[in-house]
Amino acid sequence: MQHTSQTTHPKGTVVVPAASLARYAEFWMSLENVVVPYGTKLITVRGADIPYQLNEGVRGMVGEWVWFLGDDHTFAPNVLLKLLDRQVDVVMPVVPRRDSPFVPVLMHGPVDDFMTRYSWTELPVTGMFQLPVGDSAGQAGALVHKSVLDQLGDPWFEGGKLSPGRLMEDMYFIKRLHDQGTSIWIDCDQ
């Protein structure tokens, strides 16, 4: 990460759940170039399971926000600063799925076995898109402000709550945000 003091944004925490820190070399190479506000902390947690890793990252956070990254995507160097510029409580970039047909990691609800994937044509080409209540998303690149996390309470992520035998901790997190009335924004410029 490249720390910069050339921003008015407060420091925060980048959380990367990582079963193996060498899982996706392209991700780690892109992370080296991501520009972050001065004082931002990187937390990578290994072991147990993904909800544990995400929760430990939040427990160790510093600053006013957490940026959750999946280690199986790549990010442009200025993406975090642009997400912070949006000045909303929860925002994420448009990230494609890592498998064919490579559509956005957004799902039409309700969260169950019959969810359907968003297509690229359902999103604006630029600007912001508010995720409808009931729809869901993965956590790749989700920027969440501390006040939202404080309101949700620990644990923030839990597996197996939506569908027995399936982790879906990211979709459960999104559902909890919707349940508390938090707007979730998708930055279609990113």
Side-chain angles (χ1 to χ4, degrees), residues 138-150:
Q139 288 300 298
L143 175 69
V144 183
H145 283 266
K146 184 178 186 312
S147 60
V148 172
L149 295 168
D150 289 345

Side-chain angles (χ1 to χ4, degrees), residues 37-112:
Y38 183 78
T40 293
K41 179 179 181 179
L42 171 65
I43 296 177
T44 58
V45 182
R46 295 174 61 181
D49 57 21
I50 292 172
Y52 167 83
Q53 294 169 34
L54 291 166
N55 288 325
E56 284 300 303
V58 175
R59 289 178 190 124
M61 76 176 285
V62 299
E64 296 303 311
W65 50 265
V66 173
W67 191 34
F68 297 104
L69 296 181
D71 69 347
D72 52 356
H73 297 282
T74 59
F75 298 91
N78 61 354
V79 66
L80 174 60
L81 297 180
K82 289 185 175 189
L83 292 173
L84 286 165
D85 285 343
R86 293 301 190 173
Q87 297 183 8
V88 294
D89 287 334
V90 179
V91 61
M92 57 185 69
V94 178
V95 177
R97 293 180 61 86
R98 63 183 174 268
D99 56 358
S100 182
F102 307 106
V103 294
V105 291
L106 302 171
M107 302 292 286
H108 290 289
V111 176
D112 62 21

Side-chain angles (χ1 to χ4, degrees), residues 98-132:
R98 63 183 174 268
D99 56 358
S100 182
F102 307 106
V103 294
V105 291
L106 302 171
M107 302 292 286
H108 290 289
V111 176
D112 62 21
D113 291 336
F114 303 105
M115 295 181 301
T116 59
R117 297 175 179 174
Y118 271 72
S119 72
W120 289 108
T121 59
E122 294 178 86
L123 297 174
V125 177
T126 61
M128 298 278 276
F129 171 78
Q130 187 172 358
L131 190 67

